[in-house]
Amino acid sequence: MPATLLIPLYRDEVAPRFDLAGEVLLVTLDTEGTETERSSVVLAHASSEDICRMALEEKVRTVICSGIDEEFWQYLRWKRIEVIDNVIGPVEEALRRHAAGMLRSGDILFHREGA
């Protein structure tokens, strides 16, 4: 069954705060987990409620985000949407790790020089 991911954005990174994101990325995956479609949606104003509503309307199965209020985390989980939170770093790295089944809550995806 195809799946859709939602990632709140800040430039090309996962937004530091769910409630302050002015843009979200929607990524559709086929049954094998391969990306089939990608769209960026600019929000009229930053709003956790609007992002949650969009997640329901777009039948999102997974939200990848950084900081999220407990209330919205609980709401999304109640709606049976997986929430991978406290992820910090570039969106492309988050998508790569998610596709490989290696993305976990709390992951810091920035690469350090010399590490």
Side-chain angles (χ1 to χ4, degrees), residues 49-113:
E49 291 87 358
D50 288 350
I51 296 173
C52 288
R53 185 174 18 262
M54 181 181 297
L56 295 176
E57 290 170 358
E58 297 293 332
K59 296 179 177 43
V60 167
R61 299 234 330 251
T62 303
V63 169
I64 298 170
C65 62
S66 190
I68 182 171
D69 288 336
E70 179 74 15
E71 170 187 3
F72 297 104
W73 186 92
Q74 291 289 347
Y75 176 77
L76 292 168
R77 295 296 301 143
W78 177 61
K79 292 295 187 177
R80 304 212 188 309
I81 296 173
E82 178 186 20
V83 179
I84 304 173
D85 61 341
N86 296 316
V87 174
I88 300 169
V91 168
E92 293 305 321
E93 182 65 14
L95 290 171
R96 187 186 71 70
R97 287 202 189 182
H98 182 270
M102 297 174 23
L103 186 65
R104 303 286 180 262
S105 289
D107 280 353
I108 299 172
L109 308 176
F110 291 108
H111 297 287
R112 292 191 296 170
E113 295 297 320

Side-chain angles (χ1 to χ4, degrees), residues 1-41:
M1 178 175 183
T4 302
L5 305 174
L6 183 148
I7 305 174
L9 296 176
Y10 176 72
R11 299 183 185 154
D12 63 345
E13 297 176 5
V14 178
R17 297 241 335 235
F18 188 81
D19 60 337
L20 296 179
E23 183 177 4
V24 297
L25 178 67
L26 294 168
V27 178
T28 304
L29 308 173
D30 65 15
T31 54
E32 286 82 41
T34 304
E35 184 178 323
T36 59
E37 187 177 343
R38 181 184 288 214
S39 62
S40 178
V41 179

